Amino acid sequence: MSSINRADFRFIEELVEFIRGRGYVLDLSDATFSEFFADELNVDIDDPIYAVNGGSKGKRLRTFLSTVDDDAAARALKALWDHRVQFLASTGNSDPVHNAEGRYLTLVGKLANGTSSGTGEPPRPAHDRAKIEALRSELYELRDLEPQRRGYAFESFLQRIFAEAGLAPRQPFRNVGEQIDGSFVLDNEVYLLEAKWTRSEIGVADLRAFHGKLEKAAWTRGVFISYDGFTEVGLAAFGPARRMFCVEGRDIYEGLDRQIPWVEILRAKFRHAAETGEPFVPLAKLFP
């Protein structure tokens, strides 16, 4: 278990309870508390093991910090501290806890030099490894299907990936006579989806054709997923990213292998396109 003692826990309570009171953790709701641990730490804080002393967010946090080793406890405290700093900055309020930063750094320093590192319970992962491995195997097996079946199966596979990520995917539909491979919602924005498995890289003609579909709705963005990737010539001829970004099959494989949440892959791809104008960048460069 971690080296955190009673005095440390009293300080941690000061840090996290000043916004909403005892039993709460900063400004996090039940849903965002779970999302925070999953996204920032890959921890399933809703696992019953963390509710043995009570189901409130504060009690689950205390149980988590008590049972994991010093390294995991320090990572969690750092993530909570960063969130706390952002909250205070957004409100413009001064820190209500006396010498909070100095005391926080002292606590994290103690954990870094603790004697219990590696002896606590491993955090319960937020990702179902068996399910991830099943998805990876399914994607691998699609290669042996004949082209038409493979295309439909690939669309179905992507629908499950988006559904697992909570992105409200919609099945393929027709829009003004044109086939759309589906849509999803990311950060309250609707994205149209184009998915192709062609045994060859996608060139500029397909990129421009999909972008033409996006231009028919002023508010729509899009994601082009090509299992076999994109030609460098096609990406260069297409020009700067305007309303879409691209994903290749290798991105999906690597994301599953490394258990990088699908939502975070899409967000990173979108941000890169918005900041650089490049419609495609390999996942390995976004998550080195």
Side-chain angles (χ1 to χ4, degrees):
M1 61 178 60
S2 75
S3 302
I4 299 175
N5 58 34
R6 290 185 180 180
D8 296 329
F9 275 118
R10 285 196 294 270
F11 169 57
I12 292 169
E13 289 169 358
E14 288 185 66
L15 288 180
V16 303
E17 293 180 350
F18 74 98
I19 300 174
R20 303 180 66 183
R22 190 166 183 80
Y24 288 92
V25 175
L26 299 173
D27 61 331
L28 299 171
S29 66
D30 288 340
T32 57
F33 183 62
S34 300
E35 292 170 2
F36 175 86
F37 267 81
D39 294 343
E40 299 294 330
L41 301 163
N42 187 25
V43 169
D44 181 10
I45 198 64
D46 296 323
D47 192 290
I49 193 174
Y50 302 127
V52 294
N53 297 310
S56 72
K57 291 181 285 294
K59 288 182 177 179
R60 282 184 286 153
L61 172 63
R62 182 172 183 135
T63 301
F64 171 81
L65 294 174
S66 298
T67 56
V68 297
D69 63 31
D70 285 338
D71 289 340
R75 287 194 299 272
L77 289 174
K78 183 181 184 305
L80 288 166
W81 177 262
D82 291 343
H83 184 84
R84 187 178 187 275
V85 169
Q86 292 176 8
F87 173 82
L88 288 170
S90 69
T91 61
N93 296 329
S94 59
D95 198 319
V97 178
H98 174 67
N99 192 24
E101 185 171 10
R103 295 161 70 191
Y104 157 75
L105 292 174
T106 299
L107 173 56
V108 172
K110 183 182 80 168
L111 293 173
N113 296 316
T115 59
S116 66
S117 182
T119 64
E121 288 286 335
R124 298 303 171 97
H127 307 295
D128 187 332
R129 289 178 179 168
K131 184 178 294 184
I132 290 172
E133 181 57 33
L135 287 169
R136 187 181 182 280
S137 298
E138 179 182 350
L139 181 60
Y140 187 84
E141 291 168 1
L142 293 182
R143 300 183 306 169
D144 297 328
L145 298 177
E146 56 90 13
Q148 186 173 18
R149 284 186 60 205
R150 185 176 63 233
Y152 287 124
F154 187 42
E155 288 181 14
S156 177
F157 170 85
L158 291 174
Q159 287 285 324
R160 286 196 297 282
I161 289 283
F162 282 102
E164 290 286 343
L167 297 177
R170 182 178 173 186
Q171 296 291 333
F173 60 94
R174 289 195 172 273
N175 185 18
V176 195
E178 296 180 327
Q179 176 73 29
I180 304 295
D181 291 335
S183 66
F184 62 94
V185 180
L186 173 65
D187 296 330
N188 298 316
E189 296 284 349
V190 175
Y191 288 75
L192 297 186
L193 175 65
E194 182 85 354
K196 288 188 179 293
W197 189 325
T198 60
R199 296 287 194 188
S200 61
E201 296 174 321
I202 293 296
V204 66
D206 287 314
L207 292 170
R208 287 178 174 168
F210 180 50
H211 192 266
K213 297 177 184 179
L214 300 177
E215 288 182 324
K216 294 182 179 180
W219 41 265
T220 305
R221 298 171 178 174
V223 176
F224 198 127
I225 300 180
S226 167
Y227 179 83
D228 289 289
F230 306 85
T231 67
E232 292 186 9
V233 172
L235 290 169
F238 178 70
R242 288 157 285 186
R243 306 172 61 137
M244 57 180 275
F245 60 89
C246 302
V247 177
E248 66 178 5
R250 185 176 301 171
D251 296 328
I252 302 173
Y253 274 117
E254 290 188 9
L256 291 170
D257 277 343
R258 297 170 58 188
Q259 297 184 32
I260 302 172
W262 184 234
V263 168
E264 296 309 316
I265 293 173
L266 297 176
R267 284 176 177 154
K269 290 262 188 182
F270 169 72
R271 181 169 184 173
H272 179 87
E275 291 177 345
T276 68
E278 297 176 352
F280 173 73
V281 60
L283 179 142
K285 289 187 177 181
L286 294 173
F287 300 91

